């Protein structure tokens, strides 16, 4: 590896600690290459990174000592010389938990350091206020870590996606009417204090964008948006590979976008678009259509407030006229929302997510109508992760934080 001489002054020490920074960067790079190409030999790492044999050997030694990497089988197929030992990423060296806090249910997943889910748990979200949500979240994490013998001692981080706006300046949640009292607690500090590990909190649709980037249909997109339509509506935005949160963390709160005949927030606190788009809007459309039309429908006599979106879409597919019209309204509103995103952001891809957004019906309708509203429509795809994108995103950010914890350990090890 070529080493830059850099600048020096008087005492001969390097300015700015550049050697330490380079070592840290090289360690991170080498670990990522082992994760990506595992199993791989030391010679293979030299080839893919361009680092010298001594540099690779020194860093691999650090990784072996921390048990982040382990030696496996001998390399096969080398024509000459002694075969090298293949190195494998030790994904079970640590564990993380990803949590999706929804208005009706709380889901959590325990994953290894490759992001592979090893255990799951789900409960209805408590109707008590914010402190009870914290206790439920902590209990769910502890339930999961108890399922693997060593997971509790090896827990490194927890990622949490919640409704509402996560304000990066105050580290508090704002505008979260779907989970009562969530704005009253400092969730990150409260959970971290009980579990003893870092907690990374973000808006649930932002987490969905991370999930789609890591494991879903947006893995090859640099600029894209995820519009989630389910219990509510929200957008996660990635621009040039980076999540865009806005000044106060409120980017993508499209539920508050004004639409014709919009009511003030004092009348419709969830936002005018969210009042029309999502499960609540779908139920309201069914009720209105039943009152306005006399078409025969299975929905007549049903308890509208208990209707699931899946039921209405299934009835629409089987020819129920009231259900079809209600679903078409959802498709039209979703199309207008996507068209708005297209004109503002010009993304290469828009991912339709959530229980309503990711349905085949909505995808077909939006794809067919979008060109009527924007001259240069983006690609539109249904989520590859359905309603689990936010859970995978929470796992992904927790894995990133866990790897950062190991980098900190390696830096301390080199200084000793």
């Amino acid at each position: 590896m070529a080493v830059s001489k850099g600048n020096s002054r008087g005492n001969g020490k390097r300015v700015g600690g550049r050697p330490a920074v380079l070592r840290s960067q090289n360690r991170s790079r080498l670990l990522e290459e082992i994760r990506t190409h595992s199993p791989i030999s030391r010679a293979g790492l030299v080839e893919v990174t361009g680092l010298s044999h001594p540099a690779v050997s020194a860093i691999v030694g650090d990784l072996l000592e921390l048990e982040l990497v382990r030696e496996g089988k001998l390399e096969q197929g080398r024509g000459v010389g002694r075969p090298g030992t293949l190195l494998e990423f030790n994904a079970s060296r640590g564990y993380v938990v990803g949590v999706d806090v929804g208005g009706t249910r709380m889901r959590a997943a325990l994953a290894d350091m490759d992001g592979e889910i090893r255990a799951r748990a789900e409960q209805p979200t408590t109707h008590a206020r914010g402190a009870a949500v914290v206790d439920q979240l902590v209990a769910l994490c502890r339930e999961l870590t108890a399922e693997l013998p060593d997971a509790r001692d090896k827990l490194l981080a927890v990622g949490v996606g919640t409704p509402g706006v996560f304000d990066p300046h105050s580290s508090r949640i704002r505008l979260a009417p779907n989970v009562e009292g969530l704005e009253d607690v400092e969730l990150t500090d409260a959970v971290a204090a009980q579990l003893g590990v870092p907690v990374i909190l973000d808006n649930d649709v932002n987490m969905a964008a991370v999930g789609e980037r890591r494991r879903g249909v947006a893995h090859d997109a640099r600029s894209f948006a995820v519009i989630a339509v389910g219990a509510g509506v929200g957008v996660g935005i990635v621009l040039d590979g980076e999540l865009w949160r806005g000044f106060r963390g409120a980017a993508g709160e499209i539920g508050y976008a004004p639409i014709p005949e919009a009511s003030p927030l004092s009348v419709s606190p969830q936002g005018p678009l969210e009042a029309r788009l999502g499960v609540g809007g779908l139920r309201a459309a069914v009720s209105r259509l039943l009152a306005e039309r006399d078409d025969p429908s299975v929905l007549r006599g049903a308890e509208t407030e208990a209707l699931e979106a899946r039921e209405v879409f299934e009835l629409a597919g089987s020819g129920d006229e009231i259900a079809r019209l209600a679903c078409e309204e959802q498709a039209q509103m979703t199309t207008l929302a996507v068209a708005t995103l297209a004109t503002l952001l010009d993304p290469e891809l828009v991912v339709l997510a959530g229980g309503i957004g990711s349905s085949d019906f909505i995808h077909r309708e939006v794809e067919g109508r979008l060109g009527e509203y924007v001259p240069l429509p983006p690609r539109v795809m249904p989520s590859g992760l359905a309603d689990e994108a936010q859970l995978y995103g929470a796992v992904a950010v927790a894995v990133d934080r866990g790897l950062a914890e190991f980098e900190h350990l390696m830096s301390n090890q080199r200084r000793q």
Side-chain angles (χ1 to χ4, degrees):
M1 176 181 66
V3 179
S4 172
K5 292 181 179 180
N7 295 321
S8 60
R9 296 176 184 170
N11 59 11
K13 293 182 180 179
R14 295 193 186 276
V15 176
R18 290 192 63 194
V21 172
L22 286 173
R23 279 198 299 272
S24 175
Q25 291 173 342
N26 289 337
R27 281 196 299 267
S28 298
R29 183 182 176 192
L30 212 65
L31 181 59
E32 184 58 30
E33 292 293 346
I34 295 172
R35 287 183 69 204
T36 305
H37 298 104
S38 182
I40 187 171
S41 67
R42 289 168 175 80
L45 288 171
V46 170
E47 184 176 344
V48 297
T49 64
L51 299 175
S52 68
H53 283 277
V56 166
S57 294
I59 294 172
V60 167
D62 291 345
L63 298 176
L64 287 169
E65 188 171 343
L66 285 173
E67 299 180 357
L68 272 170
V69 169
R70 56 193 172 200
E71 293 184 313
K73 300 176 182 178
L74 294 177
E75 186 178 18
Q76 301 295 318
R78 294 185 67 191
V80 295
R82 190 173 64 181
T85 304
L86 293 175
L87 301 166
E88 300 173 345
F89 178 66
N90 183 12
S92 60
R93 177 63 177 84
Y95 296 93
V96 300
V97 174
V99 185
D100 171 31
V101 180
T104 58
R105 60 179 176 170
M106 185 183 296
R107 297 179 298 174
L110 177 74
D112 62 25
M113 296 307 293
D114 263 335
E116 295 300 325
I117 292 177
R118 306 288 293 276
R120 293 172 177 265
E122 180 178 323
Q123 295 175 357
T125 304
T126 177
H127 292 300
R129 293 192 65 83
V133 176
V134 170
D135 292 339
Q136 182 182 20
L137 194 158
V138 169
L140 207 57
C141 290
R142 286 175 173 160
E143 176 187 327
L144 281 174
T145 55
E147 293 194 25
L148 292 181
D150 58 350
R152 181 168 293 178
D153 294 334
K154 292 182 177 180
L155 185 65
L156 296 171
V158 174
V160 182
T162 72
V165 173
F166 175 64
D167 186 340
H169 302 293
S170 66
S171 297
R172 295 184 72 94
I173 300 167
R174 310 291 186 195
L175 305 174
N178 290 337
V179 182
E180 188 177 358
L182 205 57
E183 302 169 28
D184 302 331
V185 295
E186 294 186 0
L187 190 144
T188 49
D189 292 343
V191 175
Q194 294 193 55
L195 294 177
V197 297
V199 176
I200 305 91
L201 178 68
D202 210 333
N203 168 267
D204 51 3
V205 191
N206 286 346
M207 288 295 194
V210 175
E212 291 292 346
R213 181 89 190 275
R214 297 293 182 86
R215 288 182 171 264
V217 297
H219 60 88
D220 61 346
R222 292 286 296 170
S223 295
F224 68 94
V226 174
I227 179 166
V229 183
V233 56
V235 177
I237 302 165
V238 173
L239 299 178
D240 198 24
E242 297 292 332
L243 195 63
W244 176 253
R245 295 180 176 85
F247 175 63
R248 285 181 292 259
E253 289 294 318
I254 200 171
Y256 295 98
I259 58 176
E261 301 178 4
S263 300
L265 292 180
S266 58
V267 177
S268 178
Q270 78 269 43
L273 181 60
E274 189 162 305
R276 296 275 301 277
L277 185 55
V279 173
L282 181 65
R283 291 168 177 166
V286 168
S287 295
R288 188 188 73 253
L289 289 163
L290 287 172
E292 292 175 352
R293 300 174 64 95
D294 57 4
D295 302 77
S297 174
V298 175
L299 293 168
R300 293 195 182 279
E303 187 179 345
T304 307
E305 289 304 309
L307 280 176
E308 296 289 339
R310 174 184 49 80
E311 300 174 65
V312 181
F313 278 90
E314 287 176 354
L315 287 170
S318 64
D320 189 294
E321 184 66 5
I322 297 294
R324 184 186 67 79
L325 290 171
C327 291
E328 283 192 351
E329 286 189 19
Q330 289 290 297
Q332 178 66 6
M333 294 302 296
T334 305
T335 302
L336 295 177
V338 173
T340 301
L341 292 173
T343 56
L344 290 174
L345 303 175
D346 188 27
E348 58 187 285
L349 172 68
V350 173
V351 181
L352 302 176
I356 291 177
S358 61
S359 71
D360 290 339
F361 181 95
I362 295 292
H363 175 232
R364 286 196 306 270
E365 292 291 315
V366 171
E367 198 170 45
R369 300 179 184 195
L370 188 58
E372 300 172 13
Y373 297 93
V374 289
L376 299 170
R379 283 189 298 144
V380 178
M381 297 182 68
S383 169
L385 303 171
D387 63 347
E388 291 203 320
Q390 53 268 49
L391 188 61
Y392 278 103
V395 165
V397 299
V399 167
D400 288 347
R401 182 55 185 266
L403 290 172
E405 292 293 307
F406 280 124
E407 172 58 35
H408 179 68
L409 284 174
M410 284 188 286
S411 295
N412 287 342
Q413 181 186 61
R414 294 293 295 179
R415 283 196 292 266
Q416 292 172 356

